[in-house]
Structure formats: structure tokens, C-alpha cells
Amino acid sequence: QRRARRAENRSSAIIVGAGPAGLCLARGLRDSGLRVCLLEQQPLDALRRPAFDGREIALTQHSAALMRELGHDRYFVCGHDRGGRVAHRLALDHAAAVRKLCVIDIAPTLDMYDATDMRFARAYYHWFHLIQPAPLPERHIGADPLWHLHYVLSAWGSGALDIFEPAALADYEAAFVQPETIHVTCEDYR
């Protein structure tokens, strides 16, 4: 029965992480004829109270277990930003399973903090804002969560929201007005 389940779960494309990039990619591939598997991070409770060893390790172990359950013993891994940190950790902890690794847009955080100047602080203001103790950033963001979400998404992209599919943007808007989503977003930086 497990072998039959594994055969059913073969995917043409596996996307780890349903952040803006992963969700848009999955939606973009939906009519391609590929079987797309979108792996999302752990439940909110696990993110609210991560193990002492940090979220990357918790997400790594969860992702590796999901891949095994889906019948993928060896696979290619690509990650961006936080997903890149998870992908890097996955390659370290599960080297036999990772055929090739592509890590996009990550830098050692401590090195970045050590080299901070005014230009960097302005560009990466969220690093400094979101690490503040709760509930400071949560209250700031919660005062107008949609404005904040739109500002961040447009500032990190092309300067406009039209790069996002309307359904994907609507999903983010619905989630980001929830206080627990805002809190977990802040916790991701603490």
C-alpha cells in the first residue's frame, strides 16, 4: 500500500515554501501539465514556539519528512531567502537525499549586521523593526496591515503589485490581516 501511495505522489515540480515566490510559481505552473507539489512550512503553533535550535532546523526536518512521505528519496532543492536557509540546512543534514542544491539570495545575517551602514539600514529596515520585542512591531503593522503588506510587497518587487496574480495577492491579504499571521511574521526575525 505504501508503494502504491508513493507512486500516486510523484510530482514533476516540488516547490518548498508558499511565500510570494513559491505561491506565484505554483499558480503559474497550474496549467502547465506538470504535477506540482507545494510544501508549506509547519503549522502556526510550531512557528509560534520553535524548538531551541531555530526555525530553519525545524522546517528542514519537517521538509525532509514530507519528501520521504511523498516517496522522494533523492531530489533537487532550490530555496530563496528563508527557503534558501532551509535548503542549505537540508543539504547539510540530509546530504544523501539532496542531488543538487541551488540557494538564492541569502547572506550570513551576522556579517550583514556587522557591515551595517545607513544605506543598508534603510534598505533592510524590516530586519531592525521586526526583531523588536513583542508587541511593538505587531502593533505598528496591525494598525494598517494591508497598507504594510502592500508597501513591503511593492518595495521588494518591481514597485507595483501587478506582478502578483490577483488570486495570490488576495490570499496574502486575507492571511496578513490576522493578528497571529503578523505575530508569526515578526517572530520569524526574532
Side-chain angles (χ1 to χ4, degrees):
Q1 184 178 16
R2 184 168 172 86
R3 186 180 297 265
R5 185 170 175 212
R6 286 177 149 207
E8 288 174 15
N9 288 324
R10 297 290 182 207
S11 300
S12 302
I14 297 173
I15 302 168
V16 179
L23 188 57
C24 287
L25 177 59
R27 286 184 178 274
L29 292 175
R30 74 175 164 226
D31 297 325
S32 69
L34 296 173
R35 292 189 64 204
V36 177
C37 176
L38 181 61
L39 300 180
E40 182 46 274
Q41 58 194 6
Q42 293 194 63
L44 287 177
D45 284 345
L47 291 172
R48 284 188 188 117
R49 291 180 284 285
F52 75 92
D53 54 4
R55 285 179 185 76
E56 284 86 10
I57 293 174
L59 292 173
T60 297
Q61 305 315 321
H62 181 69
S63 297
L66 278 173
M67 295 300 282
R68 283 191 303 276
E69 174 138 348
L70 290 170
H72 302 287
D73 299 320
R74 291 194 32 83
Y75 39 85
F76 298 93
V77 178
C78 179
H80 167 261
D81 197 18
R82 173 56 52 107
R85 295 175 190 278
V86 173
H88 179 246
R89 188 81 241 172
L90 187 65
L92 290 173
D93 292 356
H94 301 276
V98 176
R99 296 176 73 160
K100 297 271 184 183
L101 171 66
C102 176
V103 178
I104 303 168
D105 194 26
I106 67 167
T109 304
L110 185 56
D111 290 349
M112 299 301 286
Y113 276 124
D114 286 346
T116 296
D117 59 13
M118 187 61 77
R119 183 192 57 77
F120 177 82
R122 282 192 181 118
Y124 288 84
Y125 74 92
H126 59 285
W127 283 21
F128 304 95
H129 183 227
L130 299 178
I131 64 172
Q132 298 304 313
L136 181 64
E138 287 90 342
R139 297 280 304 262
H140 291 161
I141 294 166
D144 194 347
L146 287 180
W147 181 90
H148 179 82
L149 177 68
H150 291 170
Y151 177 83
V152 168
L153 291 178
S154 63
W156 289 346
S158 67
L161 294 175
D162 61 359
I163 63 169
F164 297 99
E165 287 195 32
L169 182 59
D171 288 346
Y172 274 95
E173 290 171 340
F176 204 74
V177 297
Q178 304 298 319
E180 61 272 10
T181 302
I182 295 169
H183 176 69
V184 169
T185 300
C186 297
E187 283 296 315
D188 203 32
Y189 286 83
R190 292 184 178 127

